[in-house]
Amino acid sequence: MKFELKTTYLTFFTIFSFVFLLSAQDYQVDGQEITSYRPFEVATDYANFSKCIMPGAGAQNACFTDNLQELFNENLKMPKDSISQNFNGKVYFNFFTDDKGELESTEIFSRPETKFIEEKIDLVLKKLPTLKVVQLKDTAVSTGYVLYAKFNPGKSVRLKVVDIKVSKENLKKEEKKEAGEGDFSFQIVDDVPVFPGCEEVAKSSRRSCFQKKIGKHIVKNFRYPEEAQELGIEGRVNIMFVIDKDGSVKNIKTRGPHPLFELEGRRIFAKLPQMTPGKVKGRPVRVPFSIPMTFRLN
């Protein structure tokens, strides 16, 4: 396993850049768990079908998936000869609803062998009814859903929501205000967050110790998604997170070319340990980070 570690600093975010050259494995697919990440446990506020606004988060989650699956089963029929050596029936796609709950955009993570089904998926999503939007800070926000679909001729499609992304574009002013009041760059804090194992290191060396520990954590926990490896997919993912005032890792967000890479990045950083928070003038502060990871096959 090889990796290169480079560090640069921006005004607000600290960026560490990692490049992995490896052939890792260990994700299960084809009916098994794609990832251990549970989006409904993290994104508790999201646009939902009107009929699914009911007591209990578990019931709402199940209702959302069941209604989406019903929409697909009623409107998408797979040709009997569609599953072949070239198409294994697996497709990843996403769709976004706007702040009114209406379909805004769709994206299908296509491969040459899935071209025939892309139009079918897009037509189904256009039949999506207006969803009940979520309000954050009294402001309606848009929601994105990332899904994994398994198609079998003559059988119902199996859908799995693998990620939910609540857009806060309408909350930029509030977030910018909060960020300015409470977030400090890793470069300028008086005392950087202390990664476990760096407590006895001299204060002047704790930045370096932190970076080395982050690198070791990534190497130890990294697994190249098996399905991405099978498809020959490579790409770069940005992982953003904050070490909060209590030393916990929060607000993990990802942006990348494929859900498999985003989920892997999220899984790795969700495993970061509790830390000693960064401090400015003796008081704990939030320290944000952005880490680009490049997934590259040998």
Side-chain angles (χ1 to χ4, degrees), residues 48-55 59-60 63-64 66-67 70 74 129-132:
N48 204 339
F49 292 88
S50 297
K51 65 177 70 175
C52 296
I53 306 303
M54 58 184 72
Q60 291 185 34
C63 183
F64 176 85
D66 290 346
N67 275 269
E70 183 179 340
E74 290 178 351
T130 299
L131 302 183
K132 180 72 174 178

Side-chain angles (χ1 to χ4, degrees), residues 17-32:
S17 179
F18 295 87
V19 177
F20 290 86
L21 305 175
L22 45 76
S23 178
Q25 54 189 3
D26 208 21
Y27 267 25
Q28 292 181 308
V29 293
D30 194 14
Q32 301 299 317

